[in-house]
Amino acid sequence: MAYTEESLGQVKLKQLLYDGGKTRYNGLAASKATDAQRDSTEAARLDTVYAVSQSYYRVLEARELLRVGENSRSQREAFFKLTDSYQKAGKATRIESLKAEAQLLDAERSLVQAREALRIGELILKKTIGIGIEARINIADGLPVTFAEPGNDDVLLSQMYENNPDLKKSAQFKE
């Protein structure tokens, strides 16, 4: 037979019995990388909570400053009216009346700054929590009446080392 079909088949089998622990250590490294990624995600979440809390307290502070500014302005206005009436009656000098007017103007300037700080604080809070600038936002009226007492310093430090995602991530990368 001069012309026949030829075929060639080849099968290879390779089984690695021992790779020097490379596979085991790659698995451990992947596990540590997963833990580090989880801690990194937790750190990002905590950063977001911190930013929102900071913005929230900025709004509370601005609201309180506005309330104080309005109170101060009303007191300065009453004092100016009293001083002005005393000056017209001849019981106060023109300088005293001008000082009272200057204090009233200063209180009005502070009130304008407090209103602007409240407006900016609310805008920053809206931007931080990701809602539109035109959206209405209702903020609670104040802080809690009492705050919890912090614990022992040694306990707090150990909790910090256990729960701080950045420290955990750093330790896992070292491993």
Side-chain angles (χ1 to χ4, degrees):
M1 295 184 21
Y3 301 101
T4 62
E5 271 188 44
E6 293 183 20
S7 61
L8 176 64
Q10 183 178 13
V11 176
K12 283 188 177 182
L13 177 64
K14 182 177 180 183
Q15 182 176 3
L16 186 61
L17 297 177
Y18 183 70
D19 63 355
K22 181 179 172 184
T23 305
R24 178 177 177 266
Y25 289 118
N26 281 343
L28 289 174
S31 173
K32 293 293 182 185
T34 302
D35 292 342
Q37 187 64 34
R38 187 179 310 109
D39 290 340
S40 178
T41 303
E42 179 65 12
R45 186 188 72 78
L46 292 175
D47 286 344
T48 303
V49 168
Y50 174 72
V52 171
S53 298
Q54 188 178 29
S55 299
Y56 174 77
Y57 286 115
R58 180 181 292 132
V59 171
L60 286 181
E61 179 185 23
R63 184 187 290 170
E64 190 63 24
L65 287 174
L66 180 62
R67 188 184 65 74
V68 168
E70 288 169 346
N71 187 23
S72 175
R73 186 195 172 283
S74 66
Q75 288 177 353
R76 296 298 170 200
E77 186 175 19
F79 182 69
F80 171 68
K81 288 178 182 177
L82 180 67
T83 307
D84 192 44
S85 63
Y86 276 168
Q87 194 254 333
K88 288 179 183 174
K91 295 199 178 230
T93 64
R94 176 80 177 133
I95 291 180
E96 290 172 342
S97 179
L98 290 174
K99 283 182 182 178
E101 185 179 9
Q103 289 176 351
L104 174 62
L105 293 173
D106 187 45
E108 286 178 352
R109 179 187 55 80
S110 295
L111 185 60
V112 167
Q113 288 176 338
R115 282 187 184 127
E116 192 62 27
L118 178 61
R119 183 174 171 267
I120 289 171
E122 286 177 345
L123 289 173
I124 289 171
L125 179 61
K126 289 176 185 178
K127 177 98 172 142
T128 303
I129 61 177
I131 63 173
I133 293 174
E134 300 299 322
R136 303 281 298 158
I137 190 166
N138 188 16
I139 297 172
D141 285 336
L143 298 174
V145 177
T146 59
F147 289 96
E149 271 305 306
N152 184 1
D153 287 345
D154 295 332
V155 173
L156 291 175
L157 279 173
S158 67
Q159 287 177 349
M160 178 194 69
Y161 287 121
E162 290 173 10
N163 298 327
N164 187 317
D166 292 329
L167 293 175
K168 285 170 134 180
K169 183 178 173 184
S170 175
Q172 288 166 348
F173 279 136
K174 283 181 185 176
E175 285 182 33

